[in-house]
Amino acid sequence: MLSTKAADVSDAARSESDAEIGMGAVENVHSGMMKRDLSRRHINMIGLAGMIGTGLFLASGNALATAGPAGALIGYLVMSFLTASVALTCGELSAFLPVSGGFVRHAARFIQPSLGAATGWNYWYMMAVTGPAELSAAATLINFWSPGVSPAVWYTIFIIVIVMVNFCGVRVYGESEVFFSMIKILLIIGLIIAGIVVDCGGGPNHEYIGFRYWRDPGPFNTYLVEGTTGRFLGFFSTLISAAYAFCNIQVTALAGAETKNPRKLIPDAMKMTFWRIIVFYVISIFIVGLLVPSDDPNLGNSTGTAQQSPFVIAFEKAGIAVLPSVINAALITSAFSCGSAVIFLASRVLHGLAEEGHAPKIFLKVNRWGSPWIAVSVSLVGLPLVYLSLGSNSSVAFGWFVNIATIAALIAWIIIEVTFLRFYYACKAQGISRDRLPYKSPFQPYMAWFTLLLLCLITLFSGYVVFIYGQWNVNSFLTYYIGIPIFLVLWAISWFILRDRIISLRQIDLSEIEVIERERESKPEEKKLPWYRVLI
C-alpha cells in the first residue's frame, strides 16, 4: 500500500514537472530557474501600455502633416488591424507553447531551426538599436526644463537605473512597468478628454473647432506628387511611420517562461492589445486631426520636446499653457519605460536562443532573482551607442537606427504569421482539432494570410520614396532596405552552421497538446473575473 502511494506521488510529481517544463520553465544544472513572477496584473498592464513610447505623442504630428487628418486616421486603422492580427496569432502560439523567447523558438520548432536562429538574432539587434533611440529621446525631453545640463549626465543615470531594474528579476521589472503604464494610460485618457473638450469649445478661448480642419486645409494631403497618387503616398507613409510605434506588441509573449498560468494570461493580454490600439492610437490620431490643421508649420518642427506634440500645439492654440510641462514629464517616463523594456526583450530572446542551441549556453545562467544576468549584460552593450547623439551627426545616426529597427520589426511580424500558418496546417495534417487548443484566434487562416500579404508589401515598398524621380539617395536606400539583406545573411549563416531543412507538416512536434490536456484535467477551470478586476 505504501509503495503504491509512493509510486502515485512520484508519478504525480513527475507529471507536474513535465507540465511545468511544457509551460516554459527554464532550468538546468548550471543556470538555475527563471521564476514565474509575472501575475495577471503585470501581464495585463505590460500588454496594455508597456511598449507605448514617444512615437504616439510626438510622431503622430508627422503623420498628420504628411497625410492629412483622414489619411493619417485610415493609415493608423490599417496598421492597427495588422497589429491586432499579429498579436492574436502570437497569443495562440504562446498559449500552445509558452516558452522563453516566444515567437523566436516557435519559428525554430514549426518552420526551420536555422530560420528561428536568424529571427532571434534579427530581433535581438533590433532591440539593441531601439534602446539608445529611446534614451536619447528621454534626455532631450529633460532638456526642455534643464537646457544647461549635458545630455550625457541623463544618459548615464538612465543606463544605471535600467541595469538595476533588469538585474533584479522579472518581478521588479513587472512592478516598474505597472507604474509607468499607469502614468501613460492616465496621460492618454486625459489628453483625449481634454482634446474633446477643446474641440467642442470648452477651452479658455471658448472657440468651437468641430471638423473645421477636415474642410480646410482638407482631409487628405498630397505627398511628393500631386493628385490621387500623392494622396495615396501620404496615406502609405503613415503605415511605415506607425510600424515603429506598434512594433513591440509581442512583449508579453516573450515572457512565457516567467508568467503564472501563461496559457490563460498571455492570450488575455494579447487580446487587450486590440483595445489598447483602438483607444490609445486610433482615437488619439482622430482627436489630433480635429484640433490641429495639417498645414500647421509647428507639426514639422522636430524639436524632440513636448513642443513637437500635436496635443501641445492644440492646447497652446486654445490658451492652455501649463500642459507642455505635464506632457513632457509623462513622455520621459514613456521613453525610459521603453528603454528598459527593450533590454528585457533582448535578454529573453538571447535566453531563448541559448535554450534552442542557437546561442552559447552561457546565456542560460540565471542569478538568484531569476534574471538571466549574462543575457542581460550582453543586451546592455548597445545602450552606450546613445552617446553618439552628443555629436553633430546624431540625427543621421539615429535615423538609421530607427529605420533599421522598423524593417527588422516588420520582418519579425512576417515570420510570426508564417509560423502561425505552419502551426495551423500542421494541426490540420496531424488531425488535431483547434477546439483542443487553450486559445484559438478568430478568422483563421484568412486573417493570417491577409496580414502576411500586407506586411510583405509594406516591407518591400517601405523605401518607395527613393524610386520617385528626383528623390534617389544612396543613404536613404540603404536605410530603408539594409535590414532585408541583414536578415538573409543571418539566415544563411545559421543554415550553414545547422545544415537543416524546413520541417514537414507531419513531422512538426505538436506533443505539447498532451501536456495541455493533462493540465486541463488536473486544474479546475479559472473563474472569470469581473471587468473591474482585470487590471488588479
Side-chain angles (χ1 to χ4, degrees):
M1 178 70 77
L2 289 174
S3 62
T4 303
K5 287 183 178 179
D8 290 342
V9 171
S10 176
D11 290 342
R14 187 161 50 250
S15 176
E16 185 178 346
S17 175
D18 291 343
E20 191 73 13
I21 292 172
M23 289 176 66
V26 180
E27 181 178 23
N28 62 54
V29 293
H30 300 292
S31 67
M33 179 179 285
M34 293 174 73
K35 297 180 179 180
R36 292 188 181 278
D37 282 342
L38 289 179
S39 65
R40 177 186 295 275
R41 179 170 56 90
H42 300 128
I43 286 294
N44 282 343
M45 292 302 287
I46 292 171
L48 191 62
M51 287 305 293
I52 295 177
T54 55
L56 172 62
F57 305 106
L58 301 181
S60 55
N62 291 329
L64 177 61
T66 302
L73 179 63
I74 296 171
Y76 269 68
L77 277 170
V78 171
M79 188 53 68
S80 295
F81 166 78
L82 297 180
T83 306
S85 176
V86 172
L88 293 174
T89 52
C90 198
E92 180 171 331
L93 291 170
S94 296
F96 179 81
L97 193 65
V99 290
S100 175
F103 69 92
V104 171
R105 296 179 67 188
H106 297 152
R109 296 193 184 192
F110 299 144
I111 306 178
Q112 182 186 29
S114 58
L115 181 66
T119 302
W121 286 108
N122 176 76
Y123 196 76
W124 181 83
Y125 89 72
M126 177 191 119
M127 292 293 98
V129 299
T130 303
E134 290 292 341
L135 291 190
S136 176
T140 307
L141 290 164
I142 287 181
N143 282 346
F144 177 74
W145 295 304
S146 305
V149 179
S150 170
V153 175
W154 305 118
Y155 297 158
T156 305
I157 293 172
F158 289 146
I159 290 174
I160 290 173
V161 177
I162 287 173
V163 169
M164 292 172 62
V165 168
N166 279 275
F167 275 118
C168 288
V170 72
R171 186 174 184 83
V172 174
Y173 169 76
E175 293 295 344
S176 69
E177 283 303 301
V178 168
F179 173 73
F180 290 131
S181 294
M182 284 299 299
I183 293 176
K184 286 184 271 189
I185 290 169
L186 291 173
L187 173 66
I188 295 169
I189 293 175
L191 290 177
I192 289 173
I193 294 172
I196 294 172
V197 170
V198 169
D199 186 69
C200 294
N205 58 11
H206 301 293
E207 181 184 6
Y208 175 77
I209 300 173
F211 282 84
R212 177 192 307 170
Y213 301 129
W214 284 57
R215 294 187 293 270
D216 181 25
F220 294 95
N221 284 355
T222 57
Y223 183 59
L224 296 177
V225 296
E226 296 299 320
T228 303
T229 302
R231 286 190 286 272
F232 174 78
L233 293 180
F235 150 76
F236 190 81
S237 295
T238 64
L239 300 180
I240 301 166
S241 61
Y244 182 74
F246 290 148
C247 67
N248 289 311
I249 47 89
Q250 60 270 30
V251 55
T252 53
L254 287 170
E258 297 167 277
T259 305
K260 299 172 183 176
N261 194 8
R263 299 199 200 279
K264 171 68 176 167
L265 298 189
I266 288 179
D268 286 351
M270 298 305 271
K271 284 186 283 186
M272 288 182 69
T273 300
F274 173 78
W275 298 110
R276 172 188 111 182
I277 291 167
I278 295 298
V279 174
F280 296 162
Y281 287 91
V282 176
I283 295 180
S284 293
I285 201 72
F286 174 69
I287 296 296
V288 162
L290 293 177
L291 298 176
V292 184
S294 58
D295 59 356
D296 190 304
N298 291 319
L299 287 175
N301 181 20
S302 300
T303 60
T305 71
Q307 297 287 357
Q308 185 186 345
S309 170
F311 282 105
V312 172
I313 295 171
F315 296 140
E316 286 185 338
K317 283 178 176 290
I320 306 173
V322 72
L323 274 177
S325 290
V326 175
I327 296 174
N328 217 59
L331 285 177
I332 291 167
T333 65
S334 294
F336 174 78
S337 170
C338 280
S340 179
V342 296
I343 301 303
F344 173 81
L345 291 170
S347 62
R348 271 51 182 183
V349 166
L350 268 187
H351 190 277
L353 285 169
E355 282 203 302
E356 289 292 320
H358 301 154
K361 292 294 182 184
I362 195 171
F363 293 137
L364 292 174
K365 287 186 176 293
V366 174
N367 64 20
R368 60 177 176 162
W369 296 294
S371 172
W373 64 277
I374 294 183
V376 170
S377 300
V378 174
S379 300
L380 287 166
V381 298
L383 289 185
L385 291 174
V386 72
Y387 292 103
L388 288 174
S389 65
L390 300 174
S392 58
N393 293 323
S394 61
S395 60
V396 176
F398 281 95
W400 272 66
F401 288 157
V402 168
N403 280 293
I404 290 172
T406 302
I407 299 304
L410 290 172
I411 291 172
W413 283 11
I414 289 170
I415 297 300
I416 289 172
E417 294 306 296
V418 173
T419 302
F420 173 81
L421 289 168
R422 292 276 298 171
F423 170 73
Y424 177 91
Y425 289 112
C427 288
K428 202 169 184 179
Q430 297 182 28
I432 297 176
S433 171
R434 283 172 58 76
D435 293 331
R436 297 169 64 187
L437 300 176
Y439 168 70
K440 57 179 182 180
S441 53
F443 312 119
Q444 300 295 1
Y446 312 107
M447 185 170 69
W449 277 113
F450 184 68
T451 302
L452 176 62
L453 175 63
L454 283 184
L455 287 174
C456 289
L457 290 175
I458 293 171
T459 303
L460 290 175
F461 292 100
S462 60
Y464 75 89
V465 174
V466 300
F467 298 110
I468 293 177
Y469 182 77
Q471 299 292 327
W472 173 259
N473 183 284
V474 175
N475 287 336
S476 297
F477 176 81
L478 290 175
T479 300
Y480 284 115
Y481 289 108
I482 196 170
I484 297 175
I486 287 176
F487 176 76
L488 294 176
V489 168
L490 289 172
W491 191 2
I493 293 172
S494 299
W495 178 85
F496 182 78
I497 294 172
L498 299 175
R499 297 299 177 100
D500 55 4
R501 295 182 179 180
I502 294 177
I503 307 167
S504 69
L505 293 177
R506 293 190 176 276
Q507 290 180 330
I508 290 176
D509 183 8
L510 299 177
S511 59
E512 187 75 8
I513 195 69
E514 299 172 5
V515 179
I516 292 169
E517 292 182 337
R518 284 203 304 270
E519 292 171 2
R520 197 172 279 150
E521 292 171 1
S522 62
K523 293 182 179 179
E525 191 168 340
E526 206 177 76
K527 290 182 180 180
K528 189 173 182 180
L529 293 174
W531 66 269
Y532 57 84
R533 285 287 311 280
V534 170
L535 299 179
I536 301 175

